[in-house]
């Protein structure tokens, strides 16, 4: 294990994922899986009448990087709109390979050492991809 890639902050985040329990009757659920390493993240969301995430539940079966990313997502997802989640997902996708600015999401700087390791990027993106997908699905369901 590389000390620069798997630093103490990554390991701390991986061991302390908020909302690490599925929602029993979620408005929407999305699961994303990394074909490279097999990491998997499932995100359940409920949205309120204003279209903001009011509850979230996660099932995380991922490497330390995927767990740390899920931890950061879960710590700051409540109150976010589907558009904000999609913007964070897209910014993260561009930033990891050096194609854009850092995402405006607390704590993502911790992945700076992982940026040169493109094989690790899918695991880092999983939680954000699943959350954006679930929030959008919940919005469609609420509008129906």
């Amino acid at each position: 294990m590389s000390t620069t890639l798997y630093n103490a902050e990554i390991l701390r985040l991986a061991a302390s994922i908020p909302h690490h329990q599925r929602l029993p009757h979620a408005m929407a659920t999305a699961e994303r899986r990394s074909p490279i390493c097999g990491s998997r993240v499932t995100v359940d969301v409920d949205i309120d009448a204003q279209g903001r995430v009011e509850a979230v539940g996660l099932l995380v079966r991922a490497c330390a990087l995927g767990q740390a990313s899920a931890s950061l997502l879960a710590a700051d997802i409540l109150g976010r709109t589907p558009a904000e989640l999609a913007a964070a997902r897209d910014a993260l996708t561009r930033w990891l390979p050096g194609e854009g600015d850092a995402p405006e999401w607390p704590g993502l700087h911790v992945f700076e050492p992982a940026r040169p390791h493109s094989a690790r990027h899918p695991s880092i993106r999983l939680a954000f991809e699943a959350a954006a997908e679930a929030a959008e699905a919940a919005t469609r369901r609420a509008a129906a």
Side-chain angles (χ1 to χ4, degrees):
M1 186 176 343
S2 171
T3 56
T4 58
L5 186 57
Y6 293 100
N7 58 53
E9 182 64 8
I10 293 282
L11 298 176
R12 183 193 66 75
L13 287 165
S16 59
I17 302 172
H19 309 288
H20 200 264
Q21 185 172 359
R22 301 284 307 270
L23 296 179
H25 304 288
M27 290 177 76
T29 298
E31 180 180 280
R32 298 298 298 224
R33 183 180 169 278
S34 171
I36 294 172
C37 67
S39 290
R40 185 176 58 220
V41 175
T42 305
V43 178
D44 300 322
V45 297
D46 289 338
I47 59 169
D48 62 20
Q50 289 74 42
R52 296 185 175 279
V53 175
E54 70 175 350
V56 63
L58 290 90
L59 176 62
V60 181
R61 301 289 183 253
C63 66
L65 294 171
Q67 290 175 36
S69 182
S71 184
L72 290 172
L73 170 89
D76 203 45
I77 191 173
L78 298 180
R80 299 281 187 147
T81 66
E84 290 172 315
L85 294 172
R89 175 203 59 209
D90 295 347
L92 181 62
T93 299
R94 288 187 304 272
W95 175 72
L96 285 169
E99 298 169 0
D101 294 331
E104 292 188 29
W105 195 278
L108 287 178
H109 66 278
V110 74
F111 296 114
E112 185 70 40
R115 293 178 69 195
H117 304 277
S118 61
R120 306 297 184 164
H121 296 179
S123 291
I124 296 168
R125 294 191 318 254
L126 290 177
F128 284 86
E129 291 172 350
E133 183 180 328
E136 180 59 37
T139 299
R140 286 194 308 272
R141 181 175 176 188

